[in-house]
Amino acid sequence: MKKYIENLKIIYRQMKNRSTSMQKKLMYYFLSIVSAIICILLIICSVTDVFSFSKQHLNQCLSMTLENSSSKIMQQFDRTNAQGIKLSSKISTEIEYLLKKNNRSFESLNNDPMQIRDLQQSMYNLLNTALESSEGSGAYVILDVTVNTAAKDSEFSRCGLYLRRTSVNDSKPVNSETALFRGMKEVARKNKLELHNRWNMEFNIKKFPYYMEMQQSAPVRAANSYLWAKKESLTDTWEKAMLLVVPIIGSQGEFYGVCGVEISELYFRLAYPSSESKFGTIVTALSPNENGNLCLSKGLCGADNRGKFSEQIFCIKPSGNFNYYTSDERKYVGLSKEISISSSPLDDTEWTVSVLLPASNFREYAVKRKVIYITVFAALLLIMIIMSVFLSRKYVQPIAKQLEAIQNGNLTHESKTGLSEIDELMNFLHTQQQNTISENTGIPEGIQEIFDNFIERAKTLTNAEYNILEYYIEGYQIMEIPNLAYISMSTVRRHNRSIYEKLEVSSRDELMLYIDLLKRCGRLDELRRSTKI
């Protein structure tokens, strides 16, 4: 193992002492400078938010969440609508069956508590089955009759049944208890139901959404006349809910009442919990869109990790990858999608599903990402700067020192630049300077070939280009040439580009190095032409 390490050290020293092509080292130096410039541009882009990766990632996250939430809500409401229409049809059939059996008209049920009780009992199983199979917190039926037409405000009092879950603890409650919210006590006793703490025997249709409108409009088919009422407080309770309202239509077009399903605020929050993401908590909301405003107070909101979601009116402001939702108190970012959950000429509400994220959460995430980008780019920039300084000291400074030594006549054999071409030339010049070579030694073969190729390439210059080269040979600066040659600076620069290209040099400094070396080797006259044009 020790011998192996010693061999590696020997190989390393040989590689270190080995000269490298000047073209390669200048290329490394150039690449380090370019890399530093790129890092500076990247930092500027990060600070000015040119890279909107955070916004694009948020858009992808919100889009996926919105697609999942809207699909789930549409499926739930489609199933609930179908159940409501089916319940309306079964109740209508049950009513007409009992009326025919007892040879009664529907209007004759008014002021007949016994018959209304029997009718409610016959509808209980239908309503309970609908509640058990529905994705809601309650189910109801209101009949367009009352037990006492002589009672106060009897024109707004209607009999019916309203069953509500009393233990909503999941989107699909298991073994949840049912309470009678509206209906006759006899029905509750017979079916072993507890009475709701805000129980009442009949409905107040003045406070029930869309009942009176459907009563007056007399819809023809329930399938074309159902709708979802905006969220309201349930009568005599603190609870809020959205109600599916489906008309009950007889075979001859008679209006028997309405039925439907309830989705309470609590039920919706449990069914649509917040979604955790790398940006923060995303909340789902179903609400009306009124004149570009999101009315959360009239819809249902899923729960966030702080509990109940804010019920406010938010102004929607599109902003490229997502929308901003602003109110007097809060600001959110998110996306919305319009859905259709109603089918009635009585309602033109534009319902939307929205996914919302507190804007402060996104700003915090974006700032962290920006800091990371800037830190990484700054570190790369620092590395590139250090590399540039290192390369400058290691490669460029030795060359400059050797050129200075050439001018001062202080060349030594120990002077090394690490560049094979320059080191070979320096050795030759040192040997020539010390007069230690014989007259027939001549220029080294490698340098001889470099000079020969350079002189041959000079022969390809046009007369105008050669005139410019001649001024350089005579020691003039580029700024003096336009006055000497009676041409413009742009023309001089154009000739310069052509000269550099034909002579295969990258700058005036490199050109002057060749001229100086040819002069020291006594071959400058080979570069001159017989006459100056």
Side-chain angles (χ1 to χ4, degrees), residues 52-83:
S52 57
F53 297 137
S54 297
K55 293 182 178 180
Q56 294 174 4
H57 293 165
L58 176 61
N59 173 265
Q60 294 173 359
C61 180
L62 291 174
S63 297
M64 184 177 300
T65 305
L66 178 62
E67 186 63 30
N68 293 336
S69 296
S70 61
S71 176
K72 182 178 178 181
I73 289 176
M74 279 296 297
Q75 291 175 11
Q76 176 186 355
F77 277 74
D78 285 345
R79 287 192 295 266
T80 304
N81 292 338
Q83 289 168 346

Side-chain angles (χ1 to χ4, degrees), residues 210-400:
Y210 294 104
Y211 182 92
M212 300 182 71
E213 289 85 345
M214 287 190 174
Q215 183 186 47
Q216 295 170 4
S217 65
V220 178
R221 295 179 67 241
N224 297 331
S225 306
Y226 65 89
L227 56 83
W228 282 90
K230 298 173 184 176
K231 183 179 70 177
E232 293 183 358
S233 296
L234 297 177
T235 306
D236 302 326
T237 73
W238 56 267
E239 298 178 86
K240 296 181 179 180
M242 283 178 56
L243 296 172
L244 171 63
V245 185
V246 184
I248 303 173
I249 309 299
S251 58
Q252 302 301 316
E254 305 94 329
F255 177 77
Y256 291 146
V258 297
C259 65
V261 176
E262 163 206 304
I263 297 181
S264 68
E265 189 176 51
L266 175 60
Y267 189 94
F268 191 87
R269 287 207 304 271
L270 295 174
Y272 297 91
S274 59
S275 173
E276 295 299 327
S277 70
K278 61 183 178 181
F279 303 97
T281 302
I282 300 176
V283 179
T284 298
L286 172 66
S287 57
N289 186 333
E290 298 179 355
N291 300 320
N293 295 320
L294 203 64
C295 301
L296 298 185
S297 59
K298 299 179 181 180
L300 299 173
C301 299
D304 62 10
N305 54 5
R306 295 164 295 180
K308 186 176 179 181
F309 194 70
S310 175
E311 291 189 356
Q312 300 179 32
I313 296 177
F314 288 88
C315 178
I316 305 174
K317 296 180 180 179
S319 178
N321 294 296
F322 45 77
N323 302 327
Y324 281 101
Y325 302 82
T326 56
S327 69
D328 295 335
E329 300 178 7
R330 295 187 180 184
K331 187 174 185 178
Y332 293 86
V333 294
L335 291 173
S336 296
K337 180 179 181 180
E338 184 175 340
I339 63 172
S340 176
I341 60 175
S342 298
S343 177
S344 173
L346 299 176
D347 181 42
D348 58 355
T349 303
E350 295 181 2
W351 291 96
T352 60
V353 176
S354 304
V355 288
L356 306 172
L357 170 77
S360 58
N361 289 12
F362 173 64
R363 283 195 300 269
E364 182 179 349
Y365 173 85
V367 168
K368 287 182 180 178
R369 299 295 295 180
K370 186 178 292 186
V371 169
I372 292 174
Y373 288 145
I374 293 175
T375 302
V376 172
F377 294 148
L380 290 175
L381 175 60
L382 181 61
I383 293 172
M384 292 301 104
I385 292 175
I386 293 174
M387 185 179 295
S388 299
V389 173
F390 171 77
L391 292 175
S392 175
R393 290 181 178 179
K394 186 173 180 63
Y395 303 137
V396 179
Q397 286 187 2
I399 296 174

Side-chain angles (χ1 to χ4, degrees), residues 433-448:
Q433 182 178 347
Q434 298 298 324
N435 296 319
T436 57
I437 59 173
S438 61
E439 293 182 358
N440 60 351
T441 300
I443 301 174
E445 183 177 351
I447 301 301
Q448 178 75 33

Side-chain angles (χ1 to χ4, degrees), residues 405-443:
I406 292 174
Q407 294 175 353
N408 298 330
N410 297 326
L411 284 175
T412 64
H413 278 299
E414 290 76 18
S415 301
K416 297 290 183 180
T417 64
L419 302 176
S420 56
E421 298 93 337
I422 299 297
D423 288 342
E424 186 176 355
L425 182 59
M426 295 302 121
N427 289 334
F428 167 74
L429 292 178
H430 173 71
T431 303
Q432 187 184 59
Q433 182 178 347
Q434 298 298 324
N435 296 319
T436 57
I437 59 173
S438 61
E439 293 182 358
N440 60 351
T441 300
I443 301 174

Side-chain angles (χ1 to χ4, degrees), residues 120-121 124-125 186-194:
Q120 288 187 10
Q121 180 58 46
Y124 168 77
N125 290 332
E186 291 84 350
V187 176
R189 283 195 297 268
K190 185 172 182 179
N191 295 282
K192 298 181 181 180
L193 300 177
E194 63 176 276

